[in-house]
Amino acid sequence: MNDIYILGIESSCDDTSAAVIKNDLLLSNVIANQEIHQKYGGVVPELASRAHQQNIIPVVHEALTRAGITKDDLNAVAFTRGPGLMGSLLVGTSFAKGLALSLQIPMIDVNHLQAHVLAHFIRQNETDAHQPEFPFLCLLVSGGNSQIILVEAPDKMKVIGQTIDDAAGEAFDKCAKVMGLPYPGGPVIDRLAKEGNPDAFKFSKPQIAGYNYSFSGLKTSFLYLLKNRLKEDAQFIDAHKNDLCASLQATIIDILMNKLRKAADDLNINQVAIAGGVSANSALRKAFIDYGEKHFRKIYIPPFSFTTDNAAMVAITGYFKYLKKEFCPLDATAFARVEI
Ligand code: KG4
């Protein structure tokens, strides 16, 4: 079979990204972050879509150049159709339509959540052979999602557990905000926690049946601890920042790993993966490695560049769909909300 070249486009939130894949081998993955949101303490949708409009052409151009191909070599354009911010998604969707139409090549719509999971199948070089086999479990943890997914095939994923309120990334970001840390708080907490004691403070953990998660109780428990301690000592946060970060992080990881461990045991699945922005967390990665060793599971941890939003994962998902000729019509619209 001839080689298949696919351009992936990701614009679901605040990263504009384009990637080129040759079959399952990654040739380029370009990401333009939007720093403008930092001063607002969160993503401002209107500013995000404007920045996507500015970034999309240079980012695609750079991805093609780094891949060493031209647009005429492409077999298909894959794009994130949802879930995400509507204004942001529309930039990628419209661009994909224009390019597919002008090149007369198929367009492939990609579910952003599936793409995070399928990032594990990207080969970064010819000798890269660390891909999961089906079935496997994937813990998808990001700013908007905390899910345990049973992955039976690229197009057969079943959510067996998910958060009933906040996502793990939201818990990191919101707790960081109340400590006065910059957005996004997850990476900052990760860094400060390295110097702190994870046992310094205890926070409430949810008691929910099955494989579902909840993080709103932890957030409240964190907030109340700060409120109470600040009454006695106005410098409490500054004086205990590292310990607060380490204890919060340890609690989030404990909650995540307990359910994942239970799901793998109950379903007798010996391959387990993590994905999504929070999978960049150094302590979660370590806990995951320890878990694999202690419980004899084969584990899959994405390279850092595939943890947060990126187009490489969109391109690989596009490749799987291309093999099955699952193309989408040119009048496809974006979806702000869509299940896996
Ligand atoms: O997957 P992602 O880039 O965006 C979506 O939510 O779709 O995930 C972003 C989330 C944010 O909540 C951010 O704080 C969190 O991932 N995050 C981290 C780390 N890096 C990113 N959380 C904890 N530790 C990190 N090192």
Side-chain angles (χ1 to χ4, degrees):
M1 199 174 80
N2 291 337
D3 287 328
I4 308 297
Y5 289 90
I6 293 181
L7 172 73
I9 294 172
E10 157 63 34
S11 72
S12 64
C13 190
D14 61 338
D15 294 311
T16 320
S17 180
V20 176
I21 214 161
K22 176 180 151 191
N23 307 317
D24 57 354
L25 182 68
L26 185 65
L27 300 183
S28 66
N29 184 35
V30 179
I31 304 174
N33 307 115
Q34 302 179 0
E35 271 155 26
I36 183 139
H37 306 288
Q38 268 170 11
K39 65 178 173 201
Y40 299 100
V43 177
V44 183
E46 175 60 22
L47 295 179
S49 45
R50 284 189 210 182
H52 282 306
Q53 288 182 45
Q54 285 176 342
N55 293 342
I56 189 100
I57 291 176
V59 163
V60 168
H61 179 75
E62 184 65 22
L64 290 170
T65 307
R66 284 194 205 171
I69 65 164
T70 73
K71 59 184 183 340
D72 298 316
D73 297 314
L74 293 172
N75 295 88
V77 186
F79 68 100
T80 301
R81 189 172 183 181
L85 300 171
M86 185 48 93
S88 293
L89 289 166
L90 282 175
V91 178
T93 306
S94 312
F95 185 88
K97 284 181 188 180
L99 193 63
L101 187 62
S102 66
L103 296 174
Q104 291 293 300
I105 55 175
M107 198 166 80
I108 303 171
D109 60 329
V110 167
N111 178 310
H112 181 81
L113 304 174
Q114 280 182 4
H116 269 300
V117 176
L118 295 177
H120 286 285
F121 292 90
I122 299 166
R123 286 194 312 127
Q124 297 209 72
N125 53 57
E126 298 282 0
T127 54
D128 181 356
H130 188 64
Q131 281 81 37
E133 282 161 25
F134 300 105
F136 67 96
L137 281 183
C138 186
L139 172 68
L140 173 57
V141 268
S142 68
N145 291 278
S146 297
Q147 301 184 324
I148 299 178
I149 302 160
L150 173 62
V151 190
E152 291 175 305
D155 57 351
K156 200 165 172 216
M157 299 189 193
K158 194 170 154 200
V159 177
I160 60 166
Q162 60 189 322
T163 181
I164 57 166
D165 40 54
D166 290 348
E170 240 175 318
F172 273 109
D173 296 341
K174 287 180 178 171
C175 292
K177 196 170 180 177
V178 297
M179 285 190 284
L181 300 176
Y183 175 86
V188 185
I189 290 183
D190 189 350
R191 182 166 48 78
L192 297 177
K194 291 194 171 94
E195 308 297 324
N197 173 8
D199 299 317
F201 301 102
K202 292 275 168 258
F203 303 111
S204 72
K205 288 188 199 159
Q207 307 291 332
I208 310 175
Y211 310 125
N212 282 344
Y213 288 118
S214 165
F215 290 99
S216 70
L218 168 62
K219 192 182 63 189
T220 311
S221 146
F222 188 79
L223 192 65
Y224 275 95
L225 176 110
L226 292 189
K227 270 191 176 168
N228 289 336
R229 295 296 193 92
L230 281 168
K231 276 186 213 153
E232 301 151 12
D233 172 8
Q235 303 307 315
F236 175 74
I237 294 179
D238 280 341
H240 298 90
K241 203 168 269 176
N242 295 347
D243 286 349
L244 285 166
C245 289
S247 303
L248 174 73
Q249 178 174 273
T251 311
I252 294 176
I253 291 172
D254 221 37
I255 296 171
L256 289 172
M257 290 306 299
N258 281 346
K259 289 287 169 104
L260 184 64
R261 198 180 304 125
K262 181 173 163 37
D265 287 350
D266 291 353
L267 301 178
N268 197 19
I269 300 232
N270 85 341
Q271 296 192 92
V272 190
I274 47 173
V278 179
S279 70
N281 184 270
S282 58
L284 176 61
R285 291 165 93 93
K286 186 175 175 309
F288 202 63
I289 292 170
D290 291 348
Y291 160 69
E293 282 169 3
K294 281 197 194 110
H295 293 255
F296 306 104
R297 307 275 182 221
K298 270 192 182 174
I299 57 151
Y300 298 88
I301 299 178
F304 283 109
S305 52
F306 302 157
T307 55
T308 42
D309 293 343
N310 66 88
M313 66 184 196
V314 178
I316 188 76
T317 309
Y319 173 65
F320 281 121
K321 292 185 90 170
Y322 187 95
L323 294 179
K324 298 188 106 185
K325 299 268 175 282
E326 285 178 22
F327 305 136
C328 89
L330 276 171
D331 61 357
T333 53
F335 297 130
R337 285 172 186 273
V338 56
E339 300 289 307
I340 207 156

